[in-house]
Amino acid sequence: MSLLEKDKKYVWHPFTQASLSPDLIPVVKAEGVWVIDEKGNKYIDANSSWWTVLHGHGNQQIIDGITKQINSLDHIIFAGATHPKAVEIAERLVELLPGNFSKAFFSDNGSTAIEVAIKMVYQYWHNKSVKKGKFLAIEGAYHGDTFGAMSVGERDFFNKPFEHLFFDVDYLPFPTKENANDVLSLAKKLMAEGNYAGFIFEPLVQGAAGMRIYDAEVLNELIKLAKANDVITIADEVMTGFYRLGTMFALDQIEEEVDIVCLSKGLTGGVMAMGLTITTEAIFEAFKGDDLAKAFLHGHSFTGNPIASAAACASLGVLLTEESKSKVAMISEMHAQICELWKGKKGIRDIGSKGTILRIDVDVDTKASYFSSLRYEAYQYFLENGILIRPLGNVIFVNPPYCISKEELQHIYHHIDLFIERIQKSK
Ligand SMILES: *Cc1c(COP(=O)(O)O)cnc(C)c1O
């Protein structure tokens, strides 16, 4: 049996309707921006392997970090023990993050980082004997696929079968230039009445909703309102962190400080699974006392895994070099230029960029949705041209590894251009 045949026989893939799914790419190797299949076909990893692989594949510093770690300490229980790399990544991130952060809690992925944040918020109020039930979130949000994370996300066909199990959440409309004032007055009204435990948001860019960009000013005001009403703020930086938006964190682009930040995806350079929930000392304090029941009784087998921690330390090292920063600046600049160039172009309904993310909302006759056939058509077209892009509905987006070259970016733009022309012709 071939790899693909065996896969079909034994494997269940994520976010995939097996009956409709196009052929899988049998990947055997990846190097820099390139993904290579068993026949030797090469594809540019234009979405950084689900938005994770920051520096490209096979980064030598990360390989060295992992190798050194695995040869000294592979895994250790994280309750009752600690180790150098977990402490190092916690210290470095607490120091780097803007605001008043103090403690890092480790888990395994973005969803668990969010789950931990939500549980911390509920238990914080519980420990203080304050009754607060609801969460406030933003329409279109995606915070992960576990129950708490689904509860605060957009309620749609993705989580319909589970909806009756979710806790109470109110949603603010996604803020745009046009409705910003309305969103703020609604937020003001809701926060005054709602008795919210927490307010969760993806800062400045909603990822899974189609890389939707919104203004720092409105977010700043929302956080101010939350603070004024004693609502704990959670910034979901799972996608936006680590220079994805041009600055180390999205939070670097706003003035207000938040209470909790969640990190994952690029945290280890996309090489190992790890999530972090980082909080202020004020939150941590509420869990201290003589009573075990007051503690945060949560953990995973692989909490604080040393190899993942080493990968995160190495990735941060790479990220802080001048070379990485100049690559991020180069990508951001090229994205901004192509936005200028393509603004108002036929076949493009909307185009925008934020840091290293470029989004193109392609004008098709059907209503934009995740199920749009455009995503299948686009996916196939780009594959045939050596580019791995997985659109979100009608939105084609590029968030490449930072090691990409100008020529490789231009190659991607060129094929997006050709694809949009093709769609125009076929309409
Ligand atoms: C991907 C993502 C998550 C979930 O992370 P997983 O590691 O896939 O569980 C949560 N929030 C945001 C903003 C994300 O993009």
Side-chain angles (χ1 to χ4, degrees), residues 12 40 52 68 77 81 88 92 96 109 115 134-135 146 175 179 182 186 192 208 248 257 308 325 331 348 415 422:
W12 190 339
T52 63
K68 205 166 159 212
I77 179 170
E88 180 186 332
R92 291 173 77 182
L96 270 171
N109 55 66
E115 210 68 29
K134 275 200 254 181
F135 257 82
T146 49
N179 75 0
D182 296 343
L186 176 64
M248 177 59 87
E257 296 176 356
K325 283 184 215 171
I331 298 165
I348 296 181
H415 279 288
R422 197 166 99 156

Side-chain angles (χ1 to χ4, degrees), residues 51 109-111 142-144 202 236 238-239 265:
W51 328 348
N109 55 66
S111 303
Y142 178 77
H143 296 293
E202 296 159 85
D236 177 355
V238 168
M239 185 282 284
K265 289 204 163 94

